[in-house]
């Protein structure tokens, strides 16, 4: 349930899961006592050997299993989880159940306790892979069949009124909800968190049905009580999804007001969600983080997410990595696990080398079709300022492309369409070489920010501005402004619009133009004495002139930072967007990677997402028609650098 609601890795999800484990273990102990009393003709001492046996198993058998695994790993060249080892473990399951049965309790308790003793990691995963299909596909359906045949709705109202039955079901369903809500209120937690926690604690699964059927087999209650409990369980589980979705999915994006980089100060801490699919994306992503100016004065909190395709599991999951936790020497690392450890180790090295950076690595296992939902919910929960993702194609040494991953392209497109915060798409064409050269000699990383217009460009400028504070990084901001012909064309294009939309479009153009000018002026004023930052304005009338200016004057850079311009219809770049192969890069981004520059440069495409009204499925900035496009003419045009003032 937590995985389906995308709450597994949130504070609420971890609290609910921990509380559920403690609650279920307590219920197991009470159930052992109850079953022992029934089987032992209401003599309490029958439960004592069961509890003593479980305690002995936990403190003796669990360490013994770990020692056996270490011994096999040290003496055998084959994998520690071969078929004979799995069969030996499964034999111990039946032995544990048999011992528990001799003590007077049901064999299910012994099997459950033995499952808790199995060390986590490769052994547990292999056992699940071996038995999960058999249990879920063959043994589980008859459980539901028996439960369904034993449930008779007519017995619910046999000797009682409908009102009394409804009252009992509601009381049974609200007990945990009310108690959890009261505890959360006492601890001064939000009311919606307390309500959601109580509802989640009320979730019932297969285990509840198994225990219910076992109680019916022992004649612990009659048919009417059995039907009452089944209806209550069905009602409890049915209300979990809608209530938690209402309390935690609606209006969660509203916390992102003023969380964009444009709204933050250059020295303010930022929270970055950096996503990688494999080690091939690792070097460039870490290089981008290294030039993001992580200092003690302006710290950077990085949530490093390794995106892994879901395979062999029923639901998605998120794995948090603890760098202080030592690895289990009794397990043989698979290729996937070795790659994950390599990614975690690389990000931890980045943290060690940058005292202003804090890294929290994790692995997200999810289907590609819904992977963007996990990333978005994690960004919401951690209040990330920006999400960084790699481009779905890899470049070769000569500037071409070697391969394309369609699934990664789908994830990127979904993230760009639904991201609750700003998002940066990195096209790596040699950016990692900057980090390698930095280790030996001082290498200057030259960054160019190409500013056209709109919120995406302002967000891109904000990120580039922050990177300019990194030593050995120079930033050139090139703003393209319309010339005389371009200004007249933009004015005429506004006159061609329908009458009801003329004034709205004019107002939006002027508003966005004013925002662009204000932000540029603020940037120039604060960087006028910074020798590592240059500012240039170029008059252009078409997209061809933009390409010509880049090819002739601004072609020698290591990284270009541009805005995606989603929802934009700028007349300056209209001629460049007649045919698009990579719409996720925007007009300027796709133009840069298609140009035949002497040295192919990496490109960072930035998109600023805007919170929308509650209940909307997407977080986009295209809430009104042509909100970015058709800007007016800037108030001044020059070619002076920022060191000269303005």
């Amino acid at each position: 349930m937590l995985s389906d609601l995308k709450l597994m890795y949130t504070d609420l999800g971890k609290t609910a899961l921990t509380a559920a484990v403690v609650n279920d273990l307590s219920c197991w102990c009470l159930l052992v006592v109850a079953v022992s009393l029934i089987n032992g003709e209401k003599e309490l001492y029958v439960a004592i050997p069961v509890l003593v046996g479980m305690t002995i198993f936990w403190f003796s058998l669990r360490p013994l299993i770990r020692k056996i695994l270490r011994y096999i790993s040290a003496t055998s060249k084959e994998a520690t989880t071969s078929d004979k080892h799995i069969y030996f473990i499964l034999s111990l399951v039946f032995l544990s159940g048999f011992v528990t049965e001799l003590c007077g309790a049901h064999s299910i308790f012994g099997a459950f306790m033995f499952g808790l003793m199995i060390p986590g990691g490769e052994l547990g995963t292999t056992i699940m892979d071996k038995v999960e299909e058999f249990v879920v596909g063959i043994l589980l359906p008859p459980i539901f069949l028996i439960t369904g045949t034993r449930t008779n709705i007519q017995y619910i109202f046999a000797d009682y009124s409908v009102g009394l039955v409804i009252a009992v079901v509601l009381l049974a369903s609200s007990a945990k909800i009310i108690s959890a809500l009261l505890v959360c209120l006492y601890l001064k937690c939000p009311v919606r968190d307390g309500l959601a926690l109580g509802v989640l604690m009320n979730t019932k699964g297969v285990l509840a049905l198994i225990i219910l059927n076992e109680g019916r087999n022992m004649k612990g209650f009659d048919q009417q009580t059995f039907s009452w409990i089944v209806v209550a369980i069905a009602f409890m589980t049915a209300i979990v999804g809608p209530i938690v979705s209402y309390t935690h999915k609606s209006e969660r994006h509203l916390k992102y007001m003023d969380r964009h980089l444009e709204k933050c100060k250059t020295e303010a801490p930022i929270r970055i969600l950096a996503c990688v699919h494999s080690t091939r994306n690792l070097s460039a992503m870490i290089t981008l983080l290294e030039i993001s100016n992580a200092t003690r004065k302006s710290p950077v909190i990085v949530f490093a997410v390794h995106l892994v395709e879901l395979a062999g599991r029923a639901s998605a999951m998120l794995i948090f990595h603890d760098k202080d936790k030592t690895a289990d020497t009794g397990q043989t690392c698979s290729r996937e696990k070795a790659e994950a450890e390599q990614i975690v180790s690389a990000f931890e090295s980045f943290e060690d080398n940058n005292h202003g950076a804090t890294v929290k690595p994790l692995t997200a296992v999810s289907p590609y079709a819904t992977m963007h939902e996990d990333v978005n919910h994690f960004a919401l929960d951690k209040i990330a300022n920006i999400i960084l993702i790699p481009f779905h194609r890899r470049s070769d040494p000569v500037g071409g492309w070697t391969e394309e991953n369609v699934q990664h392209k789908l994830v990127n497109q979904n993230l760009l369409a639904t991201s609750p915060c700003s998002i940066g798409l990195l096209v790596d064409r040699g950016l990692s070489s900057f980090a390698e050269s930095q280790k030996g000699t001082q290498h200057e990383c030259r960054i160019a920010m190409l500013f056209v217009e709109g919120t995406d460009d302002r967000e891109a400028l904000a990120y580039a501005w922050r990177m300019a504070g990194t030593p050995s990084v120079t930033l050139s901001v090139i703003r393209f402004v319309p010339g005389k012909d371009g200004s007249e064309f933009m004015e005429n294009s506004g006159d061609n619009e329908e009458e009801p939309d003329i004034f709205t479009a004019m107002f939006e153009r002027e508003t966005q133009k004013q925002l662009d000018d204000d932000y540029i002026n603020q940037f120039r004023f604060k960087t006028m004495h910074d020798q590592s930052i240059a500012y240039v304005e170029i008059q252009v009338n078409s997209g061809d002139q933009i390409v010509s200016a880049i090819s002739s004057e601004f072609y020698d850079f290591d990284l270009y930072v541009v805005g995606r311009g989603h929802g934009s219809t700028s007349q300056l770049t209209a001629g460049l967007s007649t045919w698009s192969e990579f719409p996720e890069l925007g007009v300027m981004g796709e133009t840069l990677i298609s140009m035949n520059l002497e040295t192919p440069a990496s490109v960072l495409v930035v998109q600023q997402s805007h919170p929308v009204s509650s209940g909307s499925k997407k977080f986009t900035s295209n809430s009104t028609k042509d909100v970015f496009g058709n800007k007016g003419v800037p108030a001044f045009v020059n070619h002076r650098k920022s060191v000269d003032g303005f």
Side-chain angles (χ1 to χ4, degrees), residues 154-170:
Q154 296 179 353
Y155 281 100
I156 297 179
F157 308 102
D159 301 320
Y160 302 95
S161 62
V162 177
L164 178 61
V165 174
I166 295 177
V168 171
V169 173
L170 290 178

Side-chain angles (χ1 to χ4, degrees), residues 311-323:
R313 289 185 178 271
S315 59
M317 64 177 180
L318 209 76
I319 305 171
F320 288 84
H321 301 279
D322 184 2
K323 67 178 182 179

Side-chain angles (χ1 to χ4, degrees), residues 204-270:
K204 301 300 178 183
V206 179
L207 188 60
L209 296 180
I210 294 175
I211 296 175
L212 184 61
N213 281 281
E214 188 59 32
R216 183 70 182 92
N217 293 336
M218 296 185 300
K219 298 181 179 181
F221 39 78
D222 56 14
Q223 180 67 34
Q224 187 178 32
T225 306
F226 181 88
S227 300
W228 278 29
I229 300 176
V230 171
V231 172
I233 289 176
F235 177 76
M236 293 177 192
T237 307
I239 65 175
V240 173
I243 293 180
V244 178
S245 297
Y246 176 77
T247 58
H248 278 74
K249 286 192 175 182
S250 61
E251 300 182 357
R252 292 184 68 191
H253 57 279
L254 293 181
K255 70 173 73 173
Y256 269 94
M257 297 299 291
D258 299 330
R259 293 292 301 178
H260 299 128
L261 297 177
E262 178 189 353
K263 304 292 184 180
C264 299
K265 297 181 180 179
T266 55
E267 67 275 6
I270 64 171

Side-chain angles (χ1 to χ4, degrees), residues 62 65-66 69 115-125 328 331:
R62 180 180 173 87
I65 294 175
R66 287 183 174 273
L69 289 177
L116 294 178
M117 298 173 200
I118 300 297
E122 185 180 356
L123 178 61
T125 302
D328 190 354
Q331 302 178 14

Side-chain angles (χ1 to χ4, degrees), residues 318-501:
L318 209 76
I319 305 171
F320 288 84
H321 301 279
D322 184 2
K323 67 178 182 179
D324 298 325
K325 184 178 180 180
T326 57
D328 190 354
T329 58
Q331 302 178 14
T332 301
C333 295
S334 62
R335 182 181 64 85
E336 293 80 4
K337 185 178 180 181
E339 183 178 41
E341 291 179 349
Q342 183 178 353
I343 292 174
V344 173
S345 177
F347 278 106
E348 290 175 350
S349 299
F350 160 74
E351 181 182 15
D352 295 335
N353 297 329
N354 295 269
H355 300 294
T358 302
V359 177
K360 299 180 180 180
L362 59 146
T363 300
V365 184
S366 179
Y368 282 129
T370 60
M371 188 173 286
H372 64 284
E373 297 180 4
D374 294 307
V375 176
N376 288 338
H377 281 82
F378 190 71
L380 281 168
D381 186 66
K382 299 304 178 183
I383 320 179
N385 297 95
I386 187 171
I387 301 173
L388 298 179
I389 54 177
F391 191 48
H392 67 276
R393 300 189 73 175
R394 294 181 61 204
S395 62
D396 56 23
V398 295
W401 304 105
T402 58
E403 62 181 32
E404 178 179 4
N405 192 309
V406 180
Q407 298 295 340
H408 294 176
K409 180 179 181 180
L410 175 64
V411 175
N412 292 345
Q413 290 176 342
N414 290 334
L415 282 172
L416 289 168
T418 62
S419 174
C421 64
S422 299
I423 185 168
L425 180 58
L426 177 61
V427 183
D428 177 28
R429 306 181 80 183
L431 184 62
S432 56
S433 61
F434 169 71
E436 296 174 358
S437 60
Q438 250 192 342
K439 298 176 182 178
T441 59
Q442 287 292 332
H443 176 74
E444 186 179 79
C445 182
R446 296 156 299 177
I447 301 176
M449 193 278 139
L450 307 182
F451 191 99
V452 180
E453 58 185 10
T455 56
D456 289 354
D457 285 44
R458 295 197 298 270
E459 191 74 0
L461 176 58
Y463 195 19
W465 187 357
R466 183 181 182 89
M467 289 190 289
T470 307
S472 301
V473 170
T474 60
L475 172 64
S476 298
V477 178
I478 302 98
R479 185 184 186 186
F480 297 101
V481 296
K484 182 178 179 180
D485 296 339
S487 301
E488 294 177 354
F489 178 78
M490 293 169 68
E491 291 176 0
N492 294 333
S493 64
D495 296 338
N496 294 331
E497 297 183 12
E498 297 180 2
E499 186 68 25
D501 298 331

